[in-house]
Amino acid sequence: MRPVLALCALIALAACEAGPGGGGSASVSGPAPDSREIALGASLPFGEVATVCGLSKKALGTPVATESGFTLYDTAATSTGQRTQYVTGFDDGCARQFTAALALFGDIGTHETLAYGSGVLHDTVGAAYEEVKGQICGVPNGQPCGSAAPKLARNTTFLTAYAAFGASGRHADMLLHDGRALAMGVEG
């Protein structure tokens, strides 16, 4: 079994499927971290993500950031404690719910700078990114996307959710690509 399959199998139950995509769509082998659907009003512990359908715009909270076709919503944007947050922009029209004290998008350039500078490529999210990047950019693992970076960035971003506001270090990273959540990993 390829390493990305083994790593993804630890965090979810259903397989990712390639979606239609303008701007470069890639398929990642393995399960999706958001395969579980929960009911409206359910809560999740930090480090988990689930699909929730039927939310009104008001229920999503305040839109705080948009990146690569995904929008992050905060249900209590002035709070520094853990709370429910949502991200939209998925092919099924449903939101993805998670719990965090702070959540931020990160672009592919930032990821490549951090990953290739530190040599950390073998975590779940990094492995999934390498697979998508290889399909769209045509470059080997450990190499920046290069001239195809704008094409990849149109529909690919990272979402980092922090367990605490401040320097706790505990965080969850999610790779979002072409209307899908491809991988998630928790560190710290």
Side-chain angles (χ1 to χ4, degrees):
M1 180 179 280
R2 293 190 333 221
V4 72
L5 291 175
L7 292 170
C8 287
L10 297 175
I11 59 172
L13 303 172
C16 292
E17 296 179 7
S25 174
S27 162
V28 171
S29 308
D34 59 348
S35 62
R36 180 171 58 128
E37 188 170 336
I38 58 172
L40 294 172
S43 60
L44 291 172
F46 176 80
E48 292 184 18
V49 63
T51 299
V52 61
C53 298
L55 286 170
S56 68
K57 286 281 187 187
K58 183 177 179 181
L60 290 170
T62 304
V64 293
T66 298
E67 183 76 32
S68 304
F70 298 94
T71 301
L72 175 63
Y73 291 85
D74 193 325
T75 59
T78 60
S79 174
T80 58
Q82 281 192 7
R83 61 208 175 268
T84 296
Q85 298 194 35
Y86 298 100
V87 64
T88 61
F90 298 92
D91 288 345
D92 62 8
C94 297
R96 299 312 186 263
Q97 178 179 319
F98 61 96
T99 299
L102 174 67
L104 305 166
F105 284 123
D107 62 38
I108 64 167
T110 300
H111 171 78
E112 288 183 355
T113 299
L114 294 172
Y116 303 150
S118 69
V120 178
L121 298 174
H122 301 293
D123 67 332
T124 304
V125 175
Y129 176 72
E130 289 299 313
E131 193 169 339
V132 169
K133 181 196 68 170
Q135 292 174 25
I136 293 176
C137 305
V139 297
N141 286 359
Q143 298 297 314
C145 183
S147 63
K151 180 179 179 182
L152 180 60
R154 277 195 289 269
N155 63 1
T156 306
T157 191
F158 295 86
L159 178 66
T160 301
Y162 295 90
F165 198 87
S168 78
R170 188 157 186 242
H171 65 279
D173 294 312
M174 193 179 333
L175 174 60
L176 306 175
H177 168 73
D178 195 36
R180 297 169 290 137
L182 297 184
M184 183 173 177
V186 181
E187 296 181 29

